[in-house]
């Protein structure tokens, strides 16, 4: 705290001063204090506009010079009051400018949001949430309100960015469905998986992703037909699904992959053992090819990672896409038996 009482109540010397001398010293101290305050006002006005701020400073400097030359109390009080009115006018102009900037920024946020929704083809719920947050931004009157909206906006933006990373595969098995459920396996689809990831991302400690895949699905489709590949994907979903129950979540990812999102506050080795038990090293399925029955045997693979070790949701989606792509792009002989 800064106190002006030393200027008003004490003298610089040790010799007692007359009442007139004390009054003169007080007047001098007050003049110095007011002069310093005027200088502070000039230096720390709101710099919302360079030209307006310079004009404001010049006006205060002139008033300060006039105050230093004031010969009576009334003139000094008038000048001090003029500085206060000048500060009020300057702050009013600054508030008007800041309000206009806020409105323009809100309009730009709305425009960007609508563009993102159109480009990413977000579902109705995501669109409604994003438009609601855009409206909240336009009405926010405090920094706390903006921070609260931003924390939710981060999740929504991460979800939209992640959806943009989803590229349809070139095979029938790799098409990303537009409904909430994958028609082939009956599991929630890749878009639903992204939404689930976005929801848990702020509290992802203890969350694990397990990736399960058929090896060389393209080869199976080429040799035995898409029906055989579809049946093996269904079988994979059934086998993995036996090992997970609510609140664990299992999704169909792209290509030959499934994704499990689970919450396990346990050692990583324990979680790895659980994932390893969820999928057999080889699947086999009887199929008919050209009026001849064949037993198709295919290898399986799995991988896992902790979400808290991933820096962003985008990176998590990229890792899942990389795992899926590496399982479907290689061609290899697949064993068959009768």
């Amino acid at each position: 705290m800064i106190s002006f009482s030393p200027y008003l109540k004490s003298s610089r010397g040790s010799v007692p001063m007359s009442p007139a001398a004390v009054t003169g010293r007080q007047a001098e101290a007050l003049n110095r204090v007011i002069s310093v305050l005027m200088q502070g006002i000039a230096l720390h006005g709101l710099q919302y506009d360079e030209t307006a701020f310079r004009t404001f400073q010049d006006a205060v400097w002139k008033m300060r010079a006039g105050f230093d030359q004031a010969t009576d109390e009334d003139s000094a009080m008038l000048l001090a009051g003029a500085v206060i009115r000048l500060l009020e006018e300057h702050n009013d102009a600054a508030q008007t400018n800041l309000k206009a900037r806020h409105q323009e920024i809100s309009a730009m946020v709305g425009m960007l949001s609508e563009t993102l929704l159109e480009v990413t083809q977000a579902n109705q719920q995501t669109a409604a949430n994003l438009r609601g947050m855009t409206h909240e931004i336009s009405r926010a009157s405090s920094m706390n309100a903006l921070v609260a909206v931003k924390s939710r906006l981060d999740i929504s933006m991460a979800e939209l960015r992640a959806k943009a990373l989803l590229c349809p595969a070139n095979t029938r098995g790799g098409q990303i469905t537009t409904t909430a459920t994958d028609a082939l396996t009956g599991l929630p689809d890749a878009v639903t998986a992204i939404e689930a990831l976005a929801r848990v991302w702020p509290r992802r400690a203890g969350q694990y992703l397990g990736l399960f895949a058929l090896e060389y699905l393209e080869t199976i489709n080429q040799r035995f037909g898409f029906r055989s590949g579809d049946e093996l994907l269904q079988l994979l979903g059934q086998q993995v699904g036996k090992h997970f129950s609510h609140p664990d979540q299992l999704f169909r990812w792209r290509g030959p992959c499934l994704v499990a999102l689970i919450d396990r506050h346990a050692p990583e080795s324990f979680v790895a053992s659980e994932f390893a038990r969820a999928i057999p090293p080889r699947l086999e399925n009887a199929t008919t090819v050209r009026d001849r029955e064949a037993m198709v045997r295919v290898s399986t693979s799995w991988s896992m990672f902790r979400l808290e070790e991933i820096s962003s949701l985008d990176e998590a989606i990229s890792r899942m896409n990389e795992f899926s792509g590496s399982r479907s792009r290689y061609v290899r002989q697949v064993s068959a038996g009768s």
Side-chain angles (χ1 to χ4, degrees):
M1 175 182 289
I2 300 175
S3 174
F4 300 135
S5 59
Y7 290 101
L8 305 178
K9 298 180 180 179
S10 64
S11 63
R12 294 176 182 272
S14 59
V15 179
M17 299 172 60
S18 65
V22 171
T23 300
R25 179 60 63 83
Q26 289 177 341
E28 178 186 354
L30 282 173
N31 286 345
R32 291 171 60 194
V33 168
I34 294 174
S35 182
V36 169
L37 290 175
M38 291 173 68
Q39 182 179 4
I41 290 171
L43 291 174
H44 300 291
L46 295 175
Q47 301 186 40
Y48 66 93
D49 178 85
E50 185 176 352
T51 301
F53 179 63
R54 179 58 60 187
T55 300
F56 167 73
Q57 277 192 320
D58 291 342
V60 176
W61 294 136
K62 290 178 181 178
M63 290 182 181
R64 183 182 175 219
F67 181 83
D68 292 339
Q69 298 172 5
T71 57
D72 57 78
E73 181 180 347
D74 290 340
S75 298
M77 290 296 294
L78 287 173
L79 284 169
V83 172
I84 293 174
R85 287 194 298 274
L86 182 64
L87 180 61
E88 290 175 347
E89 294 171 358
H90 179 72
N91 284 342
D92 287 343
Q95 290 297 327
T96 300
N97 180 274
L98 291 174
K99 183 178 180 180
R101 287 178 59 189
H102 180 72
Q103 291 174 343
E104 289 297 323
I105 291 173
S106 297
M108 287 188 287
V109 170
M111 179 179 64
L112 292 172
S113 298
E114 290 299 325
T115 302
L116 281 172
L117 290 173
E118 182 177 352
V119 170
T120 58
Q121 298 180 343
N123 59 37
Q124 292 183 352
Q125 185 61 50
T126 301
N129 290 341
L130 188 56
R131 291 188 178 111
M133 285 183 280
T134 301
H135 184 60
E136 288 183 49
I137 290 173
S138 66
R139 296 190 308 166
S141 58
S142 67
M143 182 58 67
N144 287 338
L146 283 174
V147 170
V149 178
K150 181 181 179 298
S151 64
R152 304 199 329 266
L153 187 62
D154 285 342
I155 297 175
S156 185
M157 290 295 102
E159 179 183 329
L160 290 175
R161 287 196 305 271
K163 286 181 180 179
L165 290 175
L166 281 172
C167 299
N170 295 324
T171 64
R172 177 185 173 191
Q175 294 295 330
I176 298 300
T177 61
T178 57
T179 59
T181 303
D182 175 60
L184 181 61
T185 62
L187 295 171
D189 64 7
V191 173
T192 309
I194 293 171
E195 292 170 348
L197 276 172
R199 284 194 297 269
V200 304
W201 197 258
R203 54 184 189 282
R204 59 186 182 277
Q207 298 283 341
Y208 287 84
L209 269 181
L211 309 175
F212 307 94
L214 296 175
E215 297 288 340
Y216 317 113
L217 179 61
E218 288 183 2
T219 305
I220 295 171
N221 289 333
Q222 291 172 10
R223 184 175 180 186
F224 301 103
F226 284 107
R227 178 183 174 182
S228 180
D230 291 349
E231 290 174 350
L232 284 166
L233 279 171
Q234 292 172 342
L235 183 59
L236 178 68
Q238 295 167 7
Q239 292 285 341
V240 176
K242 293 177 183 178
H243 293 266
F244 298 101
S245 59
H246 184 77
D248 300 333
Q249 301 178 77
L250 184 63
F251 308 92
R252 165 76 190 282
W253 194 243
R254 54 177 293 185
C257 289
L258 307 180
V259 174
L261 176 61
I262 67 173
D263 185 353
R264 297 289 189 275
H265 292 273
E268 190 168 341
S269 58
F270 177 86
V271 180
S273 298
E274 183 177 1
F275 282 141
R277 291 193 301 271
I279 185 172
R282 184 181 296 271
L283 288 177
E284 59 181 32
N285 182 60
T287 189
T288 302
V289 182
R290 301 184 185 91
D291 298 327
R292 180 173 177 268
E293 187 174 276
M295 184 66 68
V296 181
R297 300 180 179 89
V298 61
S299 298
T300 61
S301 61
W302 66 274
S303 183
M304 61 167 277
F305 55 83
R306 301 165 59 189
L307 288 187
E308 60 188 314
E309 295 178 346
I310 309 301
S311 60
S312 68
L313 184 54
D314 293 355
E315 182 184 348
I317 301 301
S318 295
R319 287 198 183 189
M320 290 190 287
N321 282 340
E322 181 180 356
F323 178 83
S324 174
S326 66
R327 265 69 195 169
S328 60
R329 61 172 172 258
Y330 298 113
V331 177
R332 183 180 181 182
Q333 184 71 22
V334 178
S335 64
S338 56

